[in-house]
Amino acid sequence: MFDHLVSSSDLAALDDTAYAERLRELEAALAAHPDSRELLTLLCDWATGHRDWNVRRIAVETLAARFVKEAEAREAICAATHDDVDWVAFTAIKAAGEHRLPEAVEHMIRISGWPSNFSRPAYARKPVGCGAAFTKKALWDFFGTRDPDALRALEDEHFADKHAEIAAARREPDLRDVVTVPTGPFIAGANAREIGPFQMDDTDNPLRVVDLPAFCIDRTAVTNARYGEFLREAVPGGEFAHPDEPLGKDYTPAHWRDPRFNAPELPVVGVDWYDAYAFSRWAGGRLPSEDEWEKAARGTDARTYPWGSTWDAGKARCVLGAYGREEIRDLEELEELLVRTTRTWPPDPVLPADALPDGASPYGALNMAGNVWEITRTNFFTRADMAPFFKGRKGPEFMNRPEAFHVLRGGTWTSPPVCLTTFYRGKDLLTDRHNEVGFRCVYDAPAS
């Protein structure tokens, strides 16, 4: 009914004077049109989808003035608070504050932060202009106060249902076989001076002190038996999935049918970062950061291996034991051996997850050197938590992006001892599924 006024192609073709006149005609036509369900639907569509931002702005203004009691209108106004054009977003934010829309509070807090924080004297933040000012005022208008303590109580009251929903959905952590890593600092990193005969680079992990709160970590890598429990309960794309999980995801490990890797007591392999992420949420935990992993592996005395600072082939499964070799001298010799690997040889590459107890870390975690690489939640390049955004894309489209690589730790059955140190950083593409890679989880330490 307003097509002749809001056609995107027509609007784009107008000069400035004609464009301004067209907007006045639209506002007049809307004012003359009686309220109706048809008009409400049309305005909601414009507010969130029209190509011309002034049409979106006018739609938001009209929804706020005439339809603010309708749930569809409030939903459209909330969506418009995130519009990429400033004045559309500002219009929606102002409307949300003036009409005290409860649905908009969460949206505005995402923009400005918690009012109980920014209302405190001398609170430091980084406002960038009108948007911050409009949002602060809208939140103050909604809650009816600027007192930070009162605001905190009102925030808790406003989000009480959401807090209860989150609490009800929270998984109890699976602490049946974990070790505790106490709070405090530890020495992380390597004192790297040379590359060495295997050309392994430790210069990306300089010596430093890292202070961590207490946490629990699985005593062993996740086993096939335990992962099978997850497979029986978890649904790809369901409550445990990462939002970026690939479309059509299947959590079944790639080597689930390979008799060399699928015994119940062996560490699960052939999983990617998304599989490990979903499992960790199902288990009530999370993937370890590389700092958490490193502290659990080495303790506080900067040791080179979980058991100490002297290499001992009997305390870790690496390329020597898996391939039956006593020594491998350099990278060339290692690669000559690895290219002989087949789908059936070596016949027994990995050991049970609880094997080699003499190689335990200071806290009792097993096989943190060798057997399988272990996935972390840390991005290899930024050292921040992984935050992938590749859904709907295939590997070749993102495999050169830094955001696609997570840190691996610990070395594996194809690794030389130099990769089994507590500080060596490996990396992998987050969608790759190798028979050399598994994981374990960490959990918040119980309050007691």
Side-chain angles (χ1 to χ4, degrees), residues 307 311-324 346-351 356 367 369-372 410-415 420:
W307 57 84
W311 168 249
D312 186 335
K315 294 180 178 178
R317 186 65 159 180
C318 69
V319 68
L320 302 174
Y323 287 82
D348 300 299
V350 294
L351 299 177
L356 306 178
N367 288 296
N371 217 27
V372 294
T412 188
W413 57 273
T414 60
S415 299
L420 273 61

Side-chain angles (χ1 to χ4, degrees), residues 425-443:
R425 305 176 77 230
K427 73 177 189 293
D428 201 11
L429 186 67
L430 80 172
T431 52
D432 280 357
R433 308 174 89 191
H434 301 295
N435 61 20
E436 302 158 291
V437 177
F439 67 98
R440 71 182 79 206
C441 306
V442 297
Y443 315 85

Side-chain angles (χ1 to χ4, degrees), residues 111-112 118 123-133 136:
I111 297 169
S112 70
F118 64 62
Y123 179 75
R125 57 202 299 267
K126 292 182 181 292
V128 293
C130 296
K136 285 177 68 176

Side-chain angles (χ1 to χ4, degrees), residues 270-341:
V271 292
D272 66 16
W273 187 87
Y274 294 103
D275 297 325
Y277 175 93
F279 179 98
S280 67
R281 293 195 64 202
W282 170 83
R286 60 188 182 274
L287 290 172
S289 69
E290 65 169 321
D291 285 338
E292 287 172 329
W293 191 99
E294 186 170 331
K295 183 175 181 181
R298 78 189 308 189
T300 59
D301 59 3
R303 59 184 59 191
T304 303
Y305 305 101
W307 57 84
S309 292
T310 303
W311 168 249
D312 186 335
K315 294 180 178 178
R317 186 65 159 180
C318 69
V319 68
L320 302 174
Y323 287 82
R325 297 288 292 269
E326 292 187 3
E327 182 186 19
I328 298 176
R329 292 168 295 183
D330 54 31
L331 180 62
E332 181 179 2
E333 192 173 327
L334 172 66
E335 292 179 340
E336 286 177 355
L337 175 64
L338 294 182
V339 296
R340 294 166 51 203
T341 306

Side-chain angles (χ1 to χ4, degrees), residues 62-322:
T62 308
L63 287 170
R66 296 167 58 180
F67 294 98
V68 77
K69 292 184 179 180
E70 302 293 333
E72 302 98 307
R74 295 196 300 271
E75 182 179 352
I77 292 170
C78 289
T81 63
H82 304 292
D83 197 281
D84 54 7
V85 173
D86 49 11
W87 207 256
V88 181
F90 298 166
T91 301
I93 290 167
K94 291 170 68 179
E98 290 168 2
H99 293 279
R100 301 186 69 188
L101 301 185
E103 303 93 332
V105 172
E106 182 176 353
H107 294 271
M108 293 189 291
I109 285 175
R110 291 178 187 174
I111 297 169
S112 70
W114 295 95
S116 60
N117 287 335
F118 64 62
S119 298
R120 294 189 183 280
Y123 179 75
R125 57 202 299 267
K126 292 182 181 292
V128 293
C130 296
F134 283 135
T135 308
K136 285 177 68 176
K137 183 178 186 303
L139 285 167
W140 282 330
D141 287 346
F142 176 83
F143 285 114
T145 180
R146 298 191 180 193
D147 178 78
D149 295 324
L151 281 166
R152 178 57 190 270
L154 290 168
E155 290 163 359
D156 288 343
E157 179 181 347
H158 181 80
F159 289 105
D161 290 344
K162 185 174 289 290
H163 290 321
E165 180 183 339
I166 292 171
R170 184 177 292 119
R171 298 279 293 189
E172 286 298 317
D174 183 0
L175 303 180
R176 56 186 150 163
D177 191 14
V178 301
V179 298
T180 300
V181 180
T183 187
F186 80 105
I187 300 172
N191 188 13
R193 292 188 177 88
E194 58 183 22
I195 297 298
F198 289 92
Q199 298 178 319
M200 302 299 175
D201 183 7
D202 283 321
T203 59
D204 61 345
N205 195 20
L207 281 175
R208 63 200 185 281
V209 174
V210 177
D211 199 352
L212 296 175
F215 60 93
C216 295
I217 187 168
D218 288 328
R219 185 176 66 94
T220 73
V222 173
T223 63
N224 287 316
R226 191 175 172 212
Y227 195 86
E229 298 175 31
F230 163 71
L231 287 180
R232 289 189 288 273
E233 293 187 20
V235 177
E239 61 180 306
F240 309 117
H242 191 279
D244 190 58
E245 181 177 279
L247 299 171
K249 180 68 174 155
D250 183 356
Y251 294 145
T252 306
H255 302 286
W256 202 234
R257 296 181 183 273
D258 189 330
R260 295 186 304 160
F261 298 105
N262 68 1
E265 69 277 9
L266 297 179
V268 66
V269 295
V271 292
D272 66 16
W273 187 87
Y274 294 103
D275 297 325
Y277 175 93
F279 179 98
S280 67
R281 293 195 64 202
W282 170 83
R286 60 188 182 274
L287 290 172
S289 69
E290 65 169 321
D291 285 338
E292 287 172 329
W293 191 99
E294 186 170 331
K295 183 175 181 181
R298 78 189 308 189
T300 59
D301 59 3
R303 59 184 59 191
T304 303
Y305 305 101
W307 57 84
S309 292
T310 303
W311 168 249
D312 186 335
K315 294 180 178 178
R317 186 65 159 180
C318 69
V319 68
L320 302 174

